[in-house]
Amino acid sequence: MLAHLLQDLRYSGRTLVRNPVFTVVVVATLALGIGFNAAAFSAIHGILLRPLAGAADSHQLVQIYRSWPGMEFGSVSIPHYQDLRDRAGEAFQDVAAYFFTPVSLSMDGGNERVLGMGVSANFFQTYGVTPALGRAFIPGEESVGPGGHPVAILGHGFWQSRFGGDPGVLGSTILLNGRPWEVVGVAPPDFKGPVNFASVPVYMPLMMEGELNPGSTRITARGSNMMTAVGRLRDDRSMETAQQLLDGLLAQLAEEHPQDYELQVGHALVPQDGAGIHPTIRGAQMAMSTVIMAVVGLLLLMACLNVANLFLARARDRRREMGVRLSLGASRDRIIQQLLTESLLFSLLGGAVGLGLAFLVLRGLAGVRPPMDGPWDFTIAMDSTVLLFALGLSVATGVLFGLVPALQASRPDTMSAVKGEAETRSGRFRAGNALVVGQLAVSVVLLLSAGLFLRSLQGATQIDPGFQEPGNLVVASMDPGLQGYDADRSRVLLDDVLQATAALPGVTAVGMTDVVPLGLSSSDRGVEIPGYDFAEGELRSLLYARVTEGYLEAMGVALVEGRTFTAQDGISGPPVIMVNRRFAERFWPGESAVGRTVISAGEERTVIGVVETGKYRSLGEDPTEYMYFPQRELFTTGMTLVVRTAREPSGVLQDIRRMVASQDPTLPLFDVRTMEDHMGIALMPARLGGTVLGAFGLLGLALATVGIYGVMAYSVARRRRELGIRKALGADRRRIVRLVLGEGSRLTALGLVLGLVAAFGAARLMSGMLYNVSAVDPVAFSLVPLILAAVATLAIYIPARRAAGVEPMGVLKGE
């Protein structure tokens, strides 16, 4: 057996060398299919599926979320985390917590905003991580006591890029938010943080929040939920046991703090194997990843069908060889083994080239930066799991495209094959027809999937976001609190920035908000409505933003009734609030909302205005209740300037940078962009789907064109004698062309019908990921078959013209 295998390998190797053009075509086709599958799997595995890099025994790590009506995976507060850490020891060895927080980093005479991470003192211990240099935080390092000073640990990538990998950084001082912090450690190179696609630059102890943000009440505020808790399960505890223990703890906390836990219904536990991504975001990413893997799988199937047709065509040239071997006593099984060995050698070579293609794709992915500031790092290594996937895919591919041609080639008409007579059996031709029908059907599914996502991208850009003319809006964020400004100084600076911005040439309206619609951040607050009884499980924690006067006018949000905020709201007079139309219709249907009362955080507020409902977190969301509070009352220093301009937006952004620098040269601006660029965050899923699937669709169309051309060219070559006789009997060129076109058109029609049936089912599965377009969109379902039919007709017409040029005498003499 081994001797036969080695013999087959040597023979297959010589076959590859003897037919270089055939080898290049087959290997290139397979490399495209296998390479894109390997790249897609590697990206999905590296970002979503791979256990957290650098963490020890990550299967024991569990993310712990709080649950409310309408919020299954809610964050936790510092006091709640401390209760988990101190009172859930029966279930967990350790419980840590973290949250991303912006900090102002001062280095080399300049200031910049970076997204660092506040972590509990036992964070590195819980993840099983040992610093590459220095030490981790220690349990007693909970806060800065008399004579103490704040400490920080640098991320390994940040240490390399900003400090040149200097080990002397230990004990040195960096300025964060204008205060000195001592560097006590450097994280190891394989640990980038609690998520796989973000490389944390700097870690700070959670309980030093007061040093980062003087006056912050987060340390004691049980309702300030902004953190993710992570526990390491004990060896003898299961997820179910931990859930029971946490439910018992929740009952205790509800008795001790009834006002803080009256709405909470439990805890949700999620394995950290999910790469640390929030479950709601992960669910959407997994759905898109499933679609992408299905599409690249279809692309590979088309490549296999193409190569199978090439092997069928080559089998015609090897009929005599197979006939001689069978006549000399070779068994059919032996012939099949040799031909499958050839197929596997081709597929393994295609897989090797495909891995090179995948490596290039992943290098390009590493340079991708989402349209938002952050410590993003999409560098993905092709680890052993990916290599095993590529190897398994190559072997499966070799069997898939090689089996049918091997079965066909191993049963020729032995006598006619040995004599070199023309083939009379039509089995191989029928197999080729079946393959091209299958290829056309797969092409329809692939192209319609791509077409639906392209239509979805078009539909997403046409969705009304709830504000007018985003092309005339620019945004720029700032946080003077990160530079050490107290509340009074921050108020003065932000007012000065508003006034100076309003005076810039071309500016028609200006305001500020702490939450820009369609970004990644959102805030919610519990509400009570006098006279309205919430049903059990009904959502009562609603989205909100703190805004200044002029913000709604700058955004172009339509006012339905009442008025907008003025500079006096929040400074004098009773507390007020604005709501959107969806809020008003939910709580006061058919009545005016102006003058009504909303209770939030125990304080009664009067509704002074109602604005149109917009899109707040995503373009595909259902109408959502929204509240606006006057920023002058609920003051925060982190704000985003929103400017409407009649000038070129890029010029206004430059003016804003100069103006802010004139107010305070040390104040860093971030997320400075046009509103259209900002909306790229919301459009990112649609753009990703449209771009990736559109590219794959074009590649699939090319493969389908080559496939049908190859089958029809083979058909013409096989029927040269028949066509020569027809011409000799009087058939003209037009009739010959119609004959060949009719045969190809029947194959095309059958493939299109089968493909449309399959595409209809696939579109239903994708409906939840489409924006503003039906899963059975008539444009896509009409245009795609027409395009494919036109391309197929062209691919058929070329061999048809060649068939019409057959010379009867030459063909008959040759026979």
Side-chain angles (χ1 to χ4, degrees):
M1 184 67 178
L2 181 59
H4 286 165
L5 180 60
L6 293 175
Q7 180 183 354
D8 290 343
L9 285 172
R10 287 194 297 269
Y11 184 81
S12 300
R14 290 195 297 270
T15 302
L16 264 68
V17 174
R18 282 200 306 266
N19 301 280
V21 175
F22 181 83
T23 298
V24 169
V25 171
V26 170
V27 169
T29 303
L30 293 175
L32 287 174
I34 297 173
F36 281 119
N37 272 268
F41 175 79
S42 184
I44 294 168
H45 175 260
I47 295 174
L48 296 177
L49 304 178
R50 185 182 53 149
L52 189 66
D57 299 323
S58 61
H59 63 279
Q60 292 182 303
L61 296 173
V62 178
Q63 297 174 85
I64 307 171
Y65 296 96
R66 293 175 65 183
S67 301
W68 295 270
M71 177 69 72
E72 184 178 2
F73 304 105
S75 302
V76 304
S77 64
I78 292 178
H80 187 80
Y81 151 68
Q82 290 170 329
D83 287 325
L84 292 175
R85 179 197 62 193
D86 298 337
R87 301 162 69 172
E90 291 186 32
F92 301 98
Q93 299 176 38
D94 287 293
V95 178
Y98 67 86
F99 69 101
F100 284 100
T101 181
V103 294
S104 175
L105 172 69
S106 301
M107 285 184 62
D108 302 325
N111 297 300
E112 65 176 308
R113 176 187 181 268
V114 299
L115 198 61
M117 183 172 283
V119 301
S120 57
N122 63 345
F123 175 82
F124 291 98
Q125 172 188 332
T126 301
Y127 277 90
V129 172
T130 302
L133 287 177
R135 63 172 177 84
F137 300 129
I138 55 180
E141 212 157 41
E142 291 291 335
S143 61
V144 179
H149 54 273
V151 295
I153 293 174
L154 302 179
H156 196 275
F158 186 75
W159 171 61
Q160 291 278 3
S161 62
R162 299 301 180 86
F163 297 90
D166 179 13
V169 73
L170 293 180
S172 66
T173 297
I174 59 175
L175 290 178
L176 300 177
N177 290 3
R179 293 172 175 79
W181 292 63
E182 181 187 353
V183 177
V184 297
V186 175
D190 56 345
F191 183 72
K192 298 189 295 185
V195 293
N196 277 338
F197 55 85
S199 184
V200 178
V202 59
Y203 302 86
M204 299 147 291
L206 179 68
M207 300 305 290
M208 294 182 183
E209 165 72 9
E211 296 297 312
L212 273 178
N213 302 297
S216 170
T217 60
R218 285 178 172 178
I219 292 178
T220 58
R222 189 169 287 273
S224 182
N225 300 302
M226 77 295 183
M227 303 171 50
T228 300
V230 176
R232 180 175 288 277
L233 282 172
R234 291 190 176 279
D235 293 335
D236 58 345
R237 297 297 184 184
S238 64
M239 291 277 283
E240 293 75 15
T241 304
Q243 185 73 67
Q244 294 172 4
L245 291 170
L246 287 178
D247 289 342
L249 172 59
L250 180 62
Q252 297 174 20
L253 293 174
E255 290 182 5
E256 299 168 12
H257 310 278
Q259 188 172 9
D260 294 304
Y261 291 94
E262 61 175 338
L263 299 179
Q264 187 169 349
V265 297
H267 286 93
L269 305 186
V270 179
Q272 176 75 23
D273 281 351
I277 302 172
H278 193 278
T280 55
I281 299 176
R282 176 179 167 81
Q285 290 175 325
M286 287 299 295
M288 177 59 73
S289 299
T290 301
V291 170
I292 290 177
M293 285 304 300
V295 167
V296 294
L298 290 175
L299 193 66
L300 178 60
L301 179 58
M302 290 183 64
C304 289
L305 293 172
N306 245 358
V307 172
N309 268 324
L310 289 173
F311 270 65
L312 279 173
R314 192 180 69 153
R316 177 176 178 272
D317 299 328
R318 301 181 66 180
R319 287 183 67 248
R320 190 168 187 275
E321 172 197 341
M322 297 302 146
V324 170
R325 294 187 63 183
L326 288 169
S327 299
L328 294 176
S331 67
R332 188 180 177 210
D333 289 345
R334 184 73 185 86
I335 297 293
I336 292 174
Q337 177 185 321
Q338 180 206 319
L339 294 177
L340 281 179
T341 301
E342 289 183 19
S343 301
L344 287 171
L345 187 59
F346 272 99
S347 66
L348 290 174
L349 187 57
V353 177
L355 280 175
L357 174 62
F359 176 77
L360 295 176
V361 172
L362 293 177
R363 283 193 62 181
L365 181 63
V368 170
R369 290 294 176 267
M372 65 200 95
D373 290 346
W376 315 119
D377 184 358
F378 290 97
T379 302
I380 299 169
M382 297 182 65
D383 57 16
S384 57
T385 302
V386 177
L387 295 178
L388 286 174
F389 172 82
L391 177 62
L393 195 63
S394 298
V395 172
T397 298
V399 174
L400 182 63
F401 76 76
L403 187 58
V404 171
L407 292 174
Q408 288 288 331
S410 64
R411 54 182 183 191
D413 184 339
T414 307
M415 292 303 295
S416 62
V418 170
K419 292 178 180 180
E421 296 175 351
E423 185 177 14
T424 58
R425 296 177 61 178
S426 59
R428 186 173 297 124
F429 185 56
R430 286 196 300 270
N433 285 350
L435 288 175
V436 81
V437 167
Q439 190 175 42
L440 284 166
V442 172
S443 300
V444 172
V445 177
L446 179 59
L447 288 171
L448 265 173
S449 299
L452 285 173
F453 272 90
L454 288 172
R455 288 280 292 158
S456 175
L457 176 58
Q458 181 185 23
T461 60
Q462 295 173 347
I463 293 176
D464 180 7
F467 49 88
Q468 299 175 4
E469 299 175 346
N472 293 334
L473 287 172
V474 298
V475 295
S477 300
M478 65 197 74
D479 190 346
L482 298 183
Q483 291 300 106
Y485 281 66
D486 59 20
D488 291 337
R489 290 183 62 209
S490 295
R491 288 178 188 272
V492 172
L493 176 65
L494 294 178
D495 279 346
D496 289 345
V497 168
L498 280 172
Q499 294 174 13
T501 304
L504 292 176
V507 171
T508 59
V510 60
M512 285 186 172
T513 179
D514 66 331
V515 178
V516 182
L518 301 176
L520 288 182
S521 63
S522 63
S523 300
D524 58 87
R525 270 185 156 215
V527 298
E528 297 176 45
I529 309 296
Y532 184 90
D533 294 325
F534 286 88
E536 183 178 352
E538 184 179 0
L539 180 65
R540 62 178 74 184
S541 187
L542 307 179
L543 297 174
Y544 76 95
R546 290 176 274 198
V547 303
T548 68
E549 65 282 359
Y551 165 75
L552 293 169
E553 290 82 356
M555 288 290 289
V557 178
L559 181 66
V560 176
E561 64 171 331
R563 67 174 178 86
T564 58
F565 293 131
T566 68
Q568 298 305 310
D569 289 315
I571 296 179
S572 60
V576 294
I577 187 175
M578 293 186 65
V579 300
N580 68 352
R581 184 193 289 270
R582 169 62 183 167
F583 188 106
E585 291 176 345
R586 175 182 172 185
F587 295 113
W588 308 289
E591 303 176 22
S592 173
V594 175
R596 299 284 186 166
T597 299
V598 176
I599 303 174
S600 180
E603 187 174 41
E604 293 188 359
R605 295 178 174 275
T606 301
V607 177
I608 62 168
V610 178
V611 296
E612 276 294 354
T613 302
K615 301 294 184 180
Y616 306 104
R617 288 183 293 189
S618 73
L619 289 170
E621 70 186 16
D622 294 328
T624 303
E625 299 86 357
Y626 208 83
M627 305 178 289
Y628 297 93
F629 295 95
Q631 187 260 358
R632 293 185 180 278
E633 178 191 353
L634 297 182
F635 186 74
T636 180
T637 61
M639 298 294 286
T640 297
L641 187 69
V642 179
V643 182
R644 182 167 292 277
T645 174
R647 290 172 49 205
E648 174 63 32
S650 59
V652 176
L653 287 175
Q654 293 176 4
D655 288 346
I656 290 173
R657 288 184 184 276
R658 286 191 290 266
M659 178 270 297
V660 172
S662 69
Q663 299 284 340
D664 182 351
T666 69
L667 180 66
L669 287 177
F670 55 95
D671 288 334
V672 181
R673 54 172 63 99
T674 65
M675 181 60 77
E676 287 183 333
D677 287 341
H678 169 80
M679 289 179 67
I681 300 172
L683 289 170
M684 189 164 54
R687 282 177 175 164
L688 175 64
T691 302
V692 173
L693 298 186
F696 287 152
L698 290 175
L699 187 56
L701 181 62
L703 288 175
T705 304
V706 171
I708 194 169
Y709 172 81
V711 166
M712 296 313 301
Y714 169 64
S715 171
V716 168
R718 174 182 171 273
R719 299 173 60 185
R720 282 176 58 82
R721 185 171 184 273
E722 172 199 340
L723 296 174
I725 293 174
R726 285 178 181 274
K727 290 197 71 174
L729 294 176
D732 59 12
R733 293 176 60 89
R734 184 176 300 176
R735 178 173 293 184
I736 296 296
V737 169
R738 281 204 308 267
L739 176 69
V740 177
L741 280 175
E743 181 180 297
S745 298
R746 286 191 292 273
L747 295 178
T748 301
L750 181 57
L752 291 178
V753 170
L754 294 176
L756 284 171
V757 172
F760 183 81
R764 290 292 185 184
L765 296 177
M766 296 186 297
S767 59
M769 289 172 280
L770 301 177
Y771 293 89
N772 207 27
V773 65
S774 168
V776 287
D777 177 59
V779 175
F781 272 79
S782 301
L783 196 58
V784 166
L786 288 176
I787 291 175
L788 192 55
V791 171
T793 300
L794 179 62
I796 298 167
Y797 181 70
I798 296 174
R801 280 182 58 95
R802 187 177 303 151
V806 170
E807 291 295 332
M809 293 303 297
V811 171
L812 295 176
K813 285 180 180 180
E815 289 291 332

